[in-house]
Amino acid sequence: QVQLVESGGGSVQAGGSLRLSCAASGYTYRGPYMAWFRQGPGKEREGVAAISTGSDTYYADSVKGRFTISQDNAKNTLYLQMNSLQPEDTAMYYCAAQRPGGSRIWNSPPAFLYWGQGTQVTVSS
């Protein structure tokens, strides 16, 4: 059974940084992407960043140049380094993973089968 456990959220002031981690367990074979999504108050869940099995990375336009996704395959851990945080980045952040042979759409929630419980990020101005 695949489990994803996020950590690293918190409250920071605008311009600050946070590093999210997602520890994965129970995986035998990965799907094409692992990703970070977020959902702000009253908003739909949106794709923030994704990384492929070949370590290609993809970002939402709103976070390009500020966020970096990475993975440590030896530790089965996914990371999201978030710099220059802004109040509009405030959201619950979720780690997500696809089943083997999953869709090659990196930023659509229905394309992901496994989800963590989320970690809250709050950015104050």
Side-chain angles (χ1 to χ4, degrees):
Q1 181 177 354
V2 175
Q3 285 192 315
L4 304 174
V5 180
E6 303 100 332
S7 61
S11 297
V12 296
Q13 290 191 329
S17 298
L18 285 172
R19 187 194 197 203
L20 306 183
S21 299
C22 172
S25 61
Y27 247 139
T28 302
Y29 297 101
R30 264 189 55 178
Y33 300 116
M34 290 191 71
W36 289 95
F37 287 78
R38 68 185 180 187
Q39 188 165 15
K43 297 182 180 180
E44 293 186 354
R45 192 168 297 191
E46 63 172 351
V48 175
I51 189 164
S52 72
T53 52
S55 296
D56 294 322
T57 56
Y58 306 85
Y59 297 95
D61 288 343
S62 59
V63 306
K64 279 181 182 176
R66 300 188 298 123
F67 291 10
T68 303
I69 190 171
S70 62
Q71 59 190 353
D72 184 331
N73 291 327
K75 296 181 178 180
N76 290 328
T77 302
L78 182 72
Y79 302 100
L80 185 68
Q81 177 67 43
M82 304 185 295
N83 298 328
S84 301
L85 283 161
Q86 300 300 316
E88 51 266 34
D89 295 316
T90 294
M92 186 72 80
Y93 282 71
Y94 298 91
C95 172
Q98 295 179 317
R99 61 173 177 80
S103 168
R104 300 200 70 83
I105 302 174
W106 73 264
N107 58 356
S108 176
F112 289 79
L113 181 61
Y114 306 107
W115 293 85
Q117 81 288 352
T119 186
Q120 178 68 38
V121 172
T122 302
V123 185
S124 58
S125 58

